Amino acid sequence: MCGLVGLWCWDTPIDRSAINRALGTLHHRGPDGTGLWISDDSRVALGHTRLSIIDLATGEQPLHHPNDRLHLVVNGEFYDYERIRNELTSRGARFRSRSDSEIALWLYAEAGERCFDDLNGEFGFILWDANAGRLLAARDRFGIKPLFYAVDSGRLLLASEIKALLALGLRAQWNVDGYLDAAHALQDGTLFAGIRQVPPGCYLSATRHGVSVRRYWHDPFASAASPMTDERAALDAVRDQMARATRWRLRADVPVASYLSGGIDSMSVLALAADAANRAPDAFTIAYDDAAYDESLRARAFADRLGARFHQVPVSGAALADNFAASLWHSEVACFNPHGTAKFVLSKAVREAGYKVVLTGEGADEIFAGYAPSRVDALGGGAAMQALIASRDRATYAVTPKHATAEDLPLVAQAFGTVPTWLRHQMAHLLGVSELFRDDLRASWSTERPLRAMLNYMEPLNFPALGTVDLGLALMLKTTLPNYVLVTLGDRMEMAHSVEARLPFLDHKVVETAWRMPGHMKIRDGLEKYALREAMRPLLPDDVVDRQKHPFVAPPSATDPRHPFGAMIRDVLHGSALASMPFFDPAKVIRLTDRLGSMRDDERLRHEPLLMEIASLCVIHDLFRMSSSNSSSLKSSGELCAMDDRGLIAFS
């Protein structure tokens, strides 16, 4: 919904011009208005760029408590807010607006840190509590909305996007150790030195004595210990919870549209929305020029069935090439396929059609076991089974790592008792990337390094004993879902064009319901997402319900120099950025690109994710003018590390 900036300067007055620059970098997140509050002593500032969706007339921010001691900025939406607002009013709250955001101010005033119990939605917020001398910054349970922070030169800086932190004076510098640890994908780090994320389901609390990060939501995994045994009741619960979550996400003072592919996830959301509103929202679908990846005919047929107005958005190879850099500027992360760029183009079409809000189907695969690795685990694993599953769908094969499996990963087996195929694939991809490292990095790297870092990050979660399928889902939910899927296919691509996405599958009550289902309800007889398919069967055509999972990927063309996108990628890899980055040996990368023409099609396809990641890092290097030096701006990272050593940055 909006863009946030927060700043607490402990020793020096705030630079107002820097705050304004930071807000300017977030204009795309909130083109409908800008608000700024600075404390009387010029030490604390909260900034906000607004995308008006609820309470168009009086919903400006920052929000202030009548006692003038609490100040708040919010990004996102709180659902069921009208009921909560009425309850708070009955207890004496005096609201100044009609927006959903203001309930967080009064819930905190009433209950402090327990306010999160009543907040359901996609959100990030920053609150200044003058009485306590505390700044609190929180993020929703699944990391749908972004929130970054850094400690630098006696300042705490927070923002919805990294570029706003850079505008506040941080230097753009590669986080070399973080990249080697895969912190940008598997933990709470970023590609930028000294900049971290507030993890999903957590809040940051800062006083003059230090900064801590605490968990307010302890995840749904424990519910697996009390599974639902009545299958029919379980399926009814899924459908009922999804119907409620979708209905809540239709609440807006502006029209709501929906993304639509040829799969069960987005079709379920569209069908539930049509049922709740007695009319189907407009449906927007990507149309690729490669039939193996295009689902627009299926999507159109379903839109016609529901009576939804259908918008087909062509995405050609030339369009991917033209928009690749812009999509990376907004995502601030590396990618392994240009599907994020395709989503960037799709979101632009939504905004040009006059919409600010769109429903999406992200999250279903991570909670109902929709990906091929989960299917492999359910069928007993094994390289042959992986190859069989991948070969059934070209799109799945295109995003399977070049190395089909990694090593046995004893660290993971020791920690969890089992090793999910998803994690083997993650390590296999990292192993492929590492083969192109500079020699000094390659000599000091092994899959054990990112595994140890990830296990250390996961340790406070206290996972219960989970089967292999559920463990893979749990790890996805905590790592690549917030750090990749919800970035490249979510918030950052939509908000690039001032469009807010709403995700019914990631309503936490839906997720908790899914986690109460035993594994055999998630995958049955090799069919992924069995529970979701059967729960939605009354609303969908049988050929949709029974169709093999088709992952959302753009046609892989990075290794084809005759293709417009492939030609662009080749130019990037032959440019100066590759040698300027601190990671890769340019000679190794160029030798690989020169060999592509002599490879079989399937072999070349397996190199796509690897070369896409390297090319996207090259583009990020140039866009943000990244520094490779280890001497100048690691000051902010060093402060964070020092604070860690004193126990001030810690999970609890």
Side-chain angles (χ1 to χ4, degrees):
M1 179 178 79
C2 305
L4 308 181
V5 174
L7 181 60
W8 187 4
C9 295
W10 292 306
D11 303 316
T12 58
I14 281 170
D15 181 350
R16 183 183 288 265
S17 63
I19 288 278
N20 288 330
R21 283 196 306 272
L23 289 171
T25 67
L26 299 178
H27 177 76
H28 55 280
R29 297 189 68 90
D32 298 332
T34 301
L36 175 62
W37 170 82
I38 299 179
S39 63
D40 291 341
D41 63 1
S42 295
R43 293 293 195 267
V44 182
L46 301 179
H48 187 266
T49 62
R50 186 183 185 212
L51 179 64
S52 55
I53 291 172
I54 289 179
D55 186 14
L56 306 185
T58 65
E60 295 86 0
Q61 297 189 35
L63 297 163
H64 311 283
H65 192 275
N67 67 13
D68 204 33
R69 307 298 287 170
L70 299 177
H71 309 273
L72 173 73
V73 286
V74 178
N75 169 32
E77 301 290 345
F78 298 125
Y79 301 115
D80 197 28
Y81 75 94
E82 289 157 319
R83 176 188 61 80
I84 297 171
R85 178 190 173 100
N86 289 337
E87 292 177 357
L88 287 165
T89 300
S90 71
R91 297 195 294 267
R94 304 189 306 280
F95 286 84
R96 296 179 174 183
S97 74
R98 294 185 297 276
S99 77
D100 60 301
S101 297
E102 198 174 355
I103 66 169
L105 188 72
W106 287 96
L107 285 170
Y108 177 84
E110 183 178 87
E113 296 167 8
R114 297 192 307 278
C115 67
F116 301 107
D117 295 345
D118 291 312
L119 295 177
N120 181 322
E122 301 107 2
F123 61 85
F125 69 76
I126 308 171
L127 181 145
W128 171 247
D129 182 343
N131 284 336
R134 181 171 75 158
L135 188 145
L136 184 143
R139 195 173 177 205
D140 65 69
R141 292 165 177 83
F142 303 103
I144 299 168
K145 292 299 178 184
L147 190 56
F148 298 93
Y149 71 97
V151 178
D152 176 76
S153 302
R155 304 179 300 163
L156 172 63
L157 307 89
L158 304 105
S160 295
E161 297 184 10
I162 291 171
K163 59 182 68 66
L165 296 181
L166 302 180
L168 289 172
L170 292 186
R171 185 178 178 187
Q173 182 163 321
W174 286 112
N175 181 5
V176 178
D177 285 337
Y179 184 71
L180 297 179
D181 290 340
H184 61 294
L186 301 179
Q187 299 155 59
D188 66 341
T190 72
L191 292 170
F192 295 74
I195 298 177
R196 298 171 70 171
Q197 304 179 61
V198 175
C202 295
Y203 67 93
L204 176 151
S205 178
T207 70
R208 282 189 169 273
H209 301 293
V211 179
S212 62
V213 176
R214 300 187 177 114
R215 189 166 300 282
Y216 69 81
W217 189 58
H218 291 277
D219 309 307
F221 311 132
S223 61
S226 56
M228 292 184 282
T229 57
D230 184 329
E231 183 169 311
R232 176 43 53 193
L235 298 180
D236 289 344
V238 168
R239 189 164 53 251
D240 291 346
Q241 289 288 357
M242 276 298 298
R244 174 198 53 76
T246 304
R247 183 176 69 254
W248 281 6
R249 284 157 179 78
L250 288 170
R251 174 67 178 89
D253 294 335
V254 296
V256 178
S258 185
Y259 290 142
L260 181 64
S261 70
I264 188 174
D265 306 340
S266 61
M267 287 188 179
S268 296
V269 170
L270 185 65
L272 290 167
D275 187 61
N278 295 318
R279 62 173 294 275
D282 279 23
F284 288 79
T285 298
I286 289 172
Y288 291 125
D289 50 12
D290 184 331
Y293 298 86
D294 181 51
E295 298 185 280
S296 60
L297 291 179
R298 284 180 170 273
R300 180 185 291 276
F302 188 68
D304 290 346
R305 170 188 170 115
L306 294 182
R309 187 166 62 170
F310 184 73
H311 302 257
Q312 181 167 302
V313 182
V315 178
S316 65
L320 293 174
D322 291 343
N323 290 279
F324 186 60
S327 67
L328 290 173
W329 165 256
H330 285 281
S331 74
E332 303 169 342
V333 300
C335 63
F336 63 81
N337 180 271
H339 48 190
T341 306
K343 198 73 174 289
F344 178 87
V345 175
L346 178 65
S347 300
K348 181 180 181 182
V350 169
R351 184 64 194 215
E352 289 176 344
Y355 288 94
K356 291 182 177 181
V357 181
V358 64
L359 301 175
T360 84
E362 269 77 42
D365 292 312
E366 288 81 3
I367 62 173
F368 287 107
Y371 293 123
S374 297
R375 198 161 173 257
V376 171
D377 291 336
L379 293 172
M385 186 62 71
Q386 294 180 52
L388 173 63
I389 291 175
S391 67
R392 291 185 61 182
D393 183 87
R394 183 174 171 83
T396 298
Y397 188 84
V399 294
T400 301
K402 178 173 70 74
H403 303 272
T405 60
E407 57 196 75
D408 288 338
L409 310 181
L411 287 174
V412 179
Q414 181 179 358
F416 298 118
T418 184
V419 183
T421 298
W422 168 83
L423 189 56
R424 294 182 189 275
H425 282 189
Q426 291 293 313
M427 293 303 108
H429 173 73
L430 294 177
L431 187 62
V433 171
S434 74
E435 291 178 351
L436 301 176
F437 280 166
R438 298 175 186 267
D439 289 343
D440 57 333
L441 295 183
R442 183 71 186 94
S444 63
W445 191 92
S446 72
T447 55
E448 186 171 300
R449 175 169 179 163
L451 280 176
R452 285 192 181 279
M454 186 199 73
L455 291 173
N456 183 61
Y457 174 66
M458 292 293 175
E459 190 273 334
L461 295 177
N462 295 318
F463 281 168
L466 297 175
T468 309
V469 171
D470 280 339
L471 178 62
L473 297 178
L475 294 176
M476 280 187 252
L477 200 68
K478 305 309 296 182
T479 60
T480 51
L481 177 66
N483 296 341
Y484 186 84
V485 175
L486 297 179
V487 180
T488 58
L489 302 178
D491 172 89
R492 312 295 277 283
M493 297 301 95
E494 288 124 6
M495 289 300 286
H497 302 290
S498 309
V499 173
E500 177 183 272
R502 297 179 173 183
L503 291 70
F505 282 106
L506 291 182
D507 180 284
H508 70 275
K509 296 297 184 183
V510 172
V511 177
E512 288 168 355
T513 299
W515 270 93
R516 290 194 61 207
M517 292 185 164
H520 66 82
M521 289 189 197
K522 296 184 178 106
I523 299 179
R524 181 167 297 179
D525 298 327
L527 185 66
E528 71 279 353
K529 288 195 289 197
Y530 171 79
L532 180 62
R533 293 171 188 270
E534 294 307 311
M536 296 301 165
R537 190 177 288 278
L539 301 176
L540 305 177
D542 285 343
D543 66 325
V544 170
V545 173
D546 298 328
R547 182 190 180 209
Q548 173 80 30
K549 163 71 180 177
H550 179 93
F552 176 67
V553 294
S557 51
T559 56
D560 182 359
R562 299 163 299 177
H563 190 280
F565 186 77
M568 183 271 294
I569 292 297
R570 185 176 180 84
D571 288 344
V572 168
L573 293 175
H574 283 75
S576 60
L578 183 62
S580 300
M581 291 192 300
F583 307 119
F584 303 104
D585 183 332
K588 294 179 183 178
V589 177
I590 297 307
R591 279 198 299 270
L592 175 59
T593 60
D594 289 345
R595 287 178 26 235
L596 293 173
S598 61
M599 293 181 185
R600 302 187 315 272
D601 286 348
D602 61 337
E603 184 182 4
R604 188 169 63 246
L605 188 63
R606 298 295 279 274
H607 284 85
E608 285 269 342
L610 170 64
L611 292 177
M612 278 294 305
E613 175 165 326
I614 297 172
S616 59
L617 289 169
C618 288
V619 173
I620 288 171
H621 182 88
D622 285 341
L623 285 172
F624 291 94
R625 301 178 182 178
M626 301 289 280
S627 167
S628 299
S629 169
N630 288 323
S631 60
S632 56
S633 76
L634 278 179
K635 183 176 182 181
S636 58
S637 178
E639 286 188 357
L640 284 172
C641 291
M643 294 180 76
D644 275 341
D645 293 340
R646 300 202 313 271
L648 296 176
I649 300 265
F651 283 95
S652 62

